[in-house]
Amino acid sequence: MPPREQPPARRGRGSRDDRDTGRGGARDRRQDRDLGDDGVPSSPRSRSHSKISDAAAYTPRGRTVREGMPRPAADEARARRTPARSGSGSGTTAKGDRPALRLLDGGRQGERGRAGRPARDTVPAPRRRNPAPPKGRPAPIRKPRHPRRPPRLGDPGRRLRVASLLALVMLATVGVRLVVMQFGDTPEWARQGLQDRLQVVQLPAARGAIYDRDGAVLAHSVEARYIAVDPEVVKDAEKTASQLQEILGIPKSQLLDRMKKRIRPDGRPSRFEWIARGVSTADAKKIAALKLPEIVIDRDERREWPGRDLAANLIGFTGGDMNGLEGLEAQYDELLRGVNGERRYEVGKKVDGTDLAKEIPGGYSQETPAENGTSLTLTLDRDMQYEAQRIIGEAMQKVGASLGAAVVMDVKTGEVLAQVSYPTYDPVKFSEVKPEVRQDVASGVVVDPGSVHKAIVYGAALEEGIITPETIFEVGPSVRKGGVTYHDTHPHPDGTKITMAGALAYSSNVAAIQVADRLGPEKLIEYQRRFGLGKAVNEGVAGEASGRVMNADEWDGASYGSVPIGHSVDATLMQMAAVYNTIANDGLYVQPHLLKDTIAPDGTRTATTDVESHRVLTEEHAEQLRTQLESVMVIKDGSGANARVNGYRVAGKTGTSSRLEGGKYVEGQVTSFIGMAPADDPRFVVAVLAHVPDGAGGLTAGPPFKEIMNFALRHYKVPPSTTEAPEFKVFP
């Protein structure tokens, strides 16, 4: 197809020249009708249609969209955009009609501007709405605009439907909730209402008793009454407190405090507060006669100690709430006190001034039974305890001792048959005595053991083969260690030879220091610990002291003289009693203990089995040491001559030392005697201690030891010794 010729440049419609003359535009349109799209003259009809379409889409500086498109696309666009002409009334577009063309910058594709420059693509200027008609033509008749629609008003019917729907949803929700509450949550609502009407009363558990080894009562609970108050019912607290104070003897301020209204952890007001427990039935009757509506009186228990001060320092006491405060009562409190129960029952309320706060017959009532406490059986012998306590009390009063103690142990089992402290007290009136009076002296008071410690030195030396019973020591009046001079109680000239039996009988410090020098600090410390020093015995008493054993790196020059004779060692009487019990038990250490068995509320007994034991000395060396200790009583002027027991062989040792209190030594001397009998087959170990302003071990502790040991042997019907004690030589 031959290329299309470029049409000559022409002025577009609406130029100023056309508007002025009114003829230029028509002339151009006539020229346009002479050529078709392909530059060939067309028919008059097609030319007229073509010229009109071209004039409508032409501008001097623009090009048409049609001319910028490929030929097929341009034809399609022209056919789509050109309005249908009314030819012959058919309503179809005539052939050759051109659509109104959108003007683009630069005119037709390939055309140049007026100045010969290439056409540029520009955004067409906006068309004027209602342009002025050309001169000579009548103004077009404007069609009237359609009036704007009025704003749409709200639909009241729709609003009513929405409101009705919301109301129905709310009513349905309430209805469902009512159904659930009526048929599903009824028990829960009933329980909540019931909680407001419940009265809670505690049911105290019976505290377990404490028995001696034969079942004799040392401490138990007896029937009594408790006094409680309902704070919500109190009207005149001052008056009520004054009336109770006269009977109970409790300060008025305390009574008022217990009557104050309180809120329980669950948010409800408290309806039960303790006033007093363990009130005698006689006093409870007096309070009941007052007819105080806010006061509650019910069954309770009161702790009693039939022996009063018998073993009081050991057993201890309880407080007003029946909880253990000291001694065995505190040590085994969890076992003894059990678990309290409670009773819940429904009560009425005040109605029109009428007080109906009483239990509703047939109403809700639930009771959780109390679990009674476990009872304890001790290894103590009540008769042995009583006699030892009497003997110590009299002996301490005679010498003016500030404190004293005695321990009686069964050699084979380690059971403590008696444990005495001086002074003692009545646990019913425990608040009237000072705390130091209530302490257990045997397990709680730390002292320097003194010469009774020498048994450890000689026992270790025998076990290590450093000495034998035939060893001869060369002694003098004193020995000097670390700048400190240590004297003998029975001074001898320098170079005096003495036997082991003589050294023990005269309690020679010089001989004991010589043995310790041969043994060495490490070995001596090892045997101190093996004999049980430096740690608590764990006998079962609250507040046991552990004592102290110095390590080797803590020794100084003076320690080589003070430690062997027991003056740089901290120990209790119970610990030293365990040392001598080991010697009496053929070298086997058995832990001293007070608890024999426990008795459950149903009567089931459980024996104590966790008793520590270990070997310290061989049987041979323990027997040799035991025999040598007999010399203390056998030798005429020995330190333990006044501790002999007629008919029985006795082995033991005296001691003189000082008492420690708060890490410092206090005035006075501590004298002690620890021995065993019969020496040929020991059954008991007795240890006695006294803190006196002045006195010697044998003179103060020997006599009470003799009496206690004599009673123990006869009380348990131990046959007298069948053999005589060996003869001992002091000087070879």
Side-chain angles (χ1 to χ4, degrees):
M1 179 176 179
R4 179 180 179 183
E5 294 181 1
Q6 283 289 353
R10 59 183 175 178
R11 294 178 181 178
R13 184 185 59 175
S15 66
R16 185 165 52 184
D17 295 339
D18 293 342
R19 288 195 302 269
D20 291 341
T21 62
R23 295 187 299 271
R27 183 172 56 250
D28 293 337
R29 284 194 294 273
R30 286 195 300 270
Q31 293 174 1
D32 289 341
R33 283 197 298 267
D34 298 336
L35 296 177
D37 291 341
D38 52 0
V40 180
S42 59
S43 63
R45 183 178 180 86
S46 64
R47 282 200 302 269
S48 63
H49 284 282
S50 172
K51 295 293 178 67
I52 292 173
S53 298
D54 291 344
Y58 178 79
T59 62
R61 301 183 61 183
R63 67 177 183 271
T64 65
V65 174
R66 174 178 58 80
E67 291 172 346
M69 296 182 181
R71 186 74 180 202
D75 293 341
E76 180 181 356
R78 184 171 61 252
R80 184 170 57 250
R81 295 178 59 89
T82 302
R85 290 181 178 273
S86 57
S88 302
S90 62
T92 59
T93 304
K95 182 179 179 180
D97 287 353
R98 297 181 180 179
L101 301 180
R102 182 180 178 186
L103 298 181
L104 297 177
D105 187 23
R108 295 186 180 181
Q109 185 175 4
E111 288 185 349
R112 304 182 65 87
R114 293 179 182 176
R117 294 190 299 268
R120 293 178 298 176
D121 293 336
T122 60
V123 178
R127 293 178 61 185
R128 294 178 59 185
R129 180 181 300 178
N130 302 328
K135 289 182 179 183
R137 292 186 183 182
I141 299 175
R142 296 182 180 179
K143 295 181 180 180
R145 294 183 178 178
H146 295 288
R148 293 185 178 180
R149 292 183 180 180
R152 189 174 184 180
L153 300 178
D155 186 356
R158 183 174 60 182
R159 292 179 180 178
L160 181 59
R161 288 192 296 272
V162 172
S164 300
L165 179 61
L166 292 176
L168 288 175
V169 171
M170 293 176 61
L171 290 175
T173 302
V174 174
V176 171
R177 180 59 182 158
L178 288 175
V179 171
V180 172
M181 292 173 60
Q182 181 67 26
F183 298 101
D185 296 342
T186 301
E188 180 62 27
W189 285 101
R191 280 193 294 270
Q192 292 182 12
L194 179 62
Q195 292 298 324
D196 297 334
R197 302 189 302 275
L198 285 184
Q199 177 81 356
V200 180
V201 176
Q202 292 190 12
L203 303 178
R207 189 173 179 85
I210 300 178
Y211 304 103
D212 82 334
R213 63 186 302 109
D214 297 322
V217 176
L218 300 176
H220 67 154
S221 298
V222 297
E223 183 178 355
R225 299 290 183 268
Y226 70 75
I227 310 298
V229 63
D230 183 350
E232 297 296 317
V233 186
V234 175
K235 297 179 180 178
D236 190 345
E238 290 284 343
K239 180 180 178 181
T240 302
S242 299
Q243 292 174 317
L244 295 178
Q245 181 183 12
E246 297 177 1
I247 301 174
L248 299 176
I250 300 175
K252 186 176 180 179
S253 59
Q254 295 183 16
L255 293 172
L256 290 173
D257 181 68
R258 296 172 188 178
M259 293 181 187
K260 290 181 180 178
K261 294 184 178 181
R262 292 175 170 82
I263 301 298
R264 297 174 55 183
D266 58 4
R268 298 196 302 271
S270 174
R271 304 296 304 272
F272 186 92
E273 294 293 332
W274 294 108
I275 292 292
R277 296 194 60 183
V279 178
S280 65
T281 55
D283 289 341
K285 289 180 180 179
K286 294 179 182 178
I287 296 174
L290 298 175
K291 297 182 178 180
L292 301 172
E294 64 269 31
I295 296 302
V296 179
I297 303 175
D298 209 334
R299 188 181 182 281
D300 195 15
E301 60 178 358
R302 183 177 71 247
R303 200 67 168 171
E304 283 192 355
W305 298 268
R308 302 306 288 264
D309 65 347
L310 184 68
N313 302 67
L314 189 63
I315 295 173
F317 54 87
T318 61
D321 57 357
M322 298 299 290
N323 289 331
L325 300 181
E326 285 188 8
L328 297 176
E329 294 276 18
Q331 183 74 5
Y332 297 99
D333 183 58
E334 292 188 5
L335 281 175
L336 290 167
R337 69 183 176 188
V339 180
N340 292 335
E342 65 177 17
R343 181 169 176 256
R344 296 173 175 265
Y345 57 90
E346 192 175 1
V347 297
K349 294 185 177 181
K350 286 186 177 181
V351 178
D352 297 332
T354 304
D355 188 3
L356 300 178
K358 304 295 181 182
E359 182 175 0
I360 299 176
Y364 175 86
S365 178
Q366 183 182 28
E367 182 173 323
T368 302
E371 298 179 13
N372 295 331
T374 300
S375 298
L376 307 179
T377 300
L378 304 183
T379 60
L380 293 181
D381 183 324
R382 184 182 60 174
D383 296 336
M384 185 78 249
Q385 178 73 25
Y386 174 82
E387 192 65 20
Q389 193 165 317
R390 180 192 66 79
I391 294 170
I392 289 296
E394 293 177 356
M396 297 301 106
Q397 291 177 2
K398 185 181 295 185
V399 298
S402 61
L403 59 80
V407 174
V408 180
M409 289 180 61
D410 185 296
V411 170
K412 301 301 181 183
T413 63
E415 295 176 345
V416 178
L417 303 177
Q419 189 163 326
V420 178
S421 294
Y422 175 87
T424 187
Y425 68 100
D426 186 349
V428 177
K429 304 176 181 179
F430 69 88
S431 60
E432 300 177 6
V433 296
K434 297 179 179 180
E436 53 267 25
V437 175
R438 303 195 301 258
Q439 67 181 335
D440 179 64
V441 178
S443 64
V445 175
V446 175
V447 299
D448 282 351
S451 293
V452 294
H453 180 268
K454 294 174 182 176
I456 297 177
V457 177
Y458 286 102
L462 287 171
E463 186 71 15
E464 295 297 321
I466 294 173
I467 62 172
T468 65
E470 291 76 26
T471 299
I472 304 299
F473 303 97
E474 188 172 323
V475 300
S478 63
V479 63
R480 192 169 181 82
K481 292 288 184 180
V484 179
T485 301
Y486 298 92
H487 299 276
D488 261 353
T489 54
H490 293 72
H492 300 285
D494 287 332
T496 301
K497 294 183 179 181
I498 192 172
T499 62
M500 180 180 174
L504 286 169
Y506 291 155
S507 192
S508 173
N509 291 334
V510 176
I513 292 172
Q514 288 180 7
V515 175
D517 286 342
R518 300 181 190 179
L519 192 62
E522 289 79 7
K523 277 296 179 183
L524 179 55
I525 294 170
E526 177 187 338
Y527 277 89
Q528 285 177 324
R529 298 189 184 281
R530 290 172 65 178
F531 272 106
L533 302 188
K535 65 177 182 179
V537 173
N538 292 326
E539 177 193 11
V541 182
E544 288 186 59
S546 59
R548 181 172 179 268
V549 172
M550 289 197 308
N551 296 322
D553 56 1
E554 297 177 294
W555 283 37
D556 57 15
S559 301
Y560 287 86
S562 61
V563 172
I565 63 176
H567 282 281
S568 292
V569 183
D570 303 338
T572 64
L573 182 65
M574 180 58 67
Q575 288 174 321
M576 294 309 302
V579 171
Y580 279 77
N581 195 81
T582 301
I583 298 170
N585 195 30
D586 294 330
L588 182 66
Y589 175 91
V590 179
Q591 178 187 2
H593 56 281
L594 275 167
L595 186 61
K596 187 177 181 65
D597 59 39
T598 60
I599 306 174
D602 61 358
T604 303
R605 288 180 175 267
T606 303
T608 302
T609 57
D610 54 344
V611 178
E612 179 190 354
S613 64
H614 59 269
R615 181 158 295 281
V616 181
L617 304 175
T618 62
E619 294 184 14
E620 178 185 1
H621 294 138
E623 182 180 0
Q624 291 174 353
L625 180 58
R626 210 165 47 235
T627 301
Q628 295 299 309
L629 288 172
E630 284 190 77
S631 65
V632 178
M633 269 67 64
V634 172
I635 294 177
K636 184 177 180 180
D637 52 352
S639 59
N642 60 356
R644 300 171 185 168
V645 178
N646 294 332
Y648 297 90
R649 293 170 57 180
V650 179
K653 187 72 184 71
T654 60
T656 305
S657 60
S658 300
R659 176 188 172 190
L660 287 170
E661 187 173 343
K664 298 180 180 179
Y665 289 106
V666 298
E667 294 182 359
Q669 285 185 328
V670 175
T671 62
S672 58
F673 191 97
I674 306 177
M676 62 201 75
D680 50 340
D681 185 15
R683 284 287 310 277
F684 305 109
V685 166
V686 175
V688 177
L689 175 145
H691 178 223
V692 295
D694 188 15
L699 297 177
T700 303
F705 165 86
K706 176 182 178 178
E707 291 188 58
I708 294 172
M709 179 63 80
N710 185 57
F711 179 83
L713 293 170
R714 300 182 185 281
H715 177 65
Y716 285 96
K717 299 179 174 59
V718 178
S721 299
T722 56
T723 58
E724 296 292 332
E727 295 184 1
F728 299 97
K729 293 182 178 181
V730 178
F731 307 104

